[in-house]
Amino acid sequence: MFRKNITFKLTFGFLLIVIISTLLIGIISLNIFKNNIFNVKRNNMTKHALEISETLKPYITENVKGKEFTDIINLLDSIDSAKIWIVDSNTNIISASNNKNMNLTYITDADVKKTYNSIFKKALIGSNEYDEIFNPYYKEYMMTVAVPNKK
């Protein structure tokens, strides 16, 4: 009887150690994998944003309502399958994403401007910015990359 009790305790202890170790290794692995995936996604988004910025340079003028500018924004939006916003120096947001009539949309939502104000300001002074925040305009969490468009 005493032997069975010790054997049971040793077996139970061993199984408990194996289960806890497996769970800890799994959690650590998932965190490393998640961080790696987010870094790859951020780098890809930054690369695409810089390419879009370079593509838009010749088309950005004081009058962004031109047909040629609208066409190029819609083309880039459809190719990249991202939500493209262009922010002018007054932090006015111009968007073409999810727009069925292919016209540019001016986003005037105060919550959006408040949410993205710090990102816009840093991008407007010349730095690349990245954040993962809730977007009140699309009502979902999003990865956001902002790059300056230097003429």
Side-chain angles (χ1 to χ4, degrees), residues 19 32 40 45 49 63 99 110 117 121 123 126-127 132 144:
I19 290 171
I32 291 170
V40 167
M45 285 178 64
N63 180 15
N99 197 342
N117 192 34
K121 284 184 178 179
S127 68
E132 297 172 35
T144 302

Side-chain angles (χ1 to χ4, degrees), residues 2-150:
F2 185 66
R3 240 182 195 176
K4 288 182 180 179
N5 195 10
I6 289 175
T7 306
F8 175 74
K9 285 180 181 179
L10 286 173
T11 304
F12 181 73
F14 178 71
L15 285 174
L16 190 63
I17 289 171
V18 168
I19 290 171
I20 290 172
S21 299
T22 304
L23 286 174
L24 286 175
I25 290 170
I27 290 169
I28 291 168
S29 298
L30 283 174
N31 281 336
I32 291 170
F33 182 71
K34 178 185 158 208
N35 289 339
N36 186 37
I37 292 296
F38 277 110
N39 284 337
V40 167
K41 182 71 173 169
R42 181 180 65 228
N43 291 339
N44 284 340
M45 285 178 64
T46 302
K47 185 179 115 190
H48 287 183
L50 289 168
E51 289 171 356
I52 288 170
S53 176
E54 285 297 315
T55 303
L56 289 177
K57 269 185 191 178
Y59 301 99
I60 294 199
T61 62
E62 292 302 315
N63 180 15
V64 292
K65 294 181 182 180
K67 171 112 172 83
E68 192 174 19
F69 181 76
T70 304
D71 291 344
I72 202 79
I73 290 291
N74 286 318
L75 177 67
L76 290 171
D77 187 57
S78 65
I79 290 172
D80 198 22
S81 73
K83 294 170 174 50
I84 299 172
W85 287 4
I86 298 167
V87 180
D88 65 13
S89 58
N90 299 322
T91 66
N92 296 319
I93 306 166
I94 304 166
S95 173
S97 299
N98 296 340
N99 197 342
K100 292 181 176 39
N101 60 6
M102 304 298 271
N103 292 327
L104 296 179
T105 304
Y106 290 85
I107 299 173
T108 57
D109 189 345
D111 288 338
V112 171
K113 288 189 176 192
K114 181 180 175 187
T115 302
Y116 287 98
N117 192 34
S118 66
I119 296 171
F120 292 162
K121 284 184 178 179
K122 289 176 185 174
L124 287 171
I125 61 172
S127 68
N128 296 347
E129 287 300 310
Y130 167 81
D131 204 351
E132 297 172 35
I133 53 178
F134 182 79
N135 184 315
Y137 186 74
Y138 296 109
K139 305 219 182 327
E140 62 184 330
Y141 280 91
M142 302 180 92
M143 293 177 125
T144 302
V145 173
V147 296
N149 191 331
K150 300 170 187 161

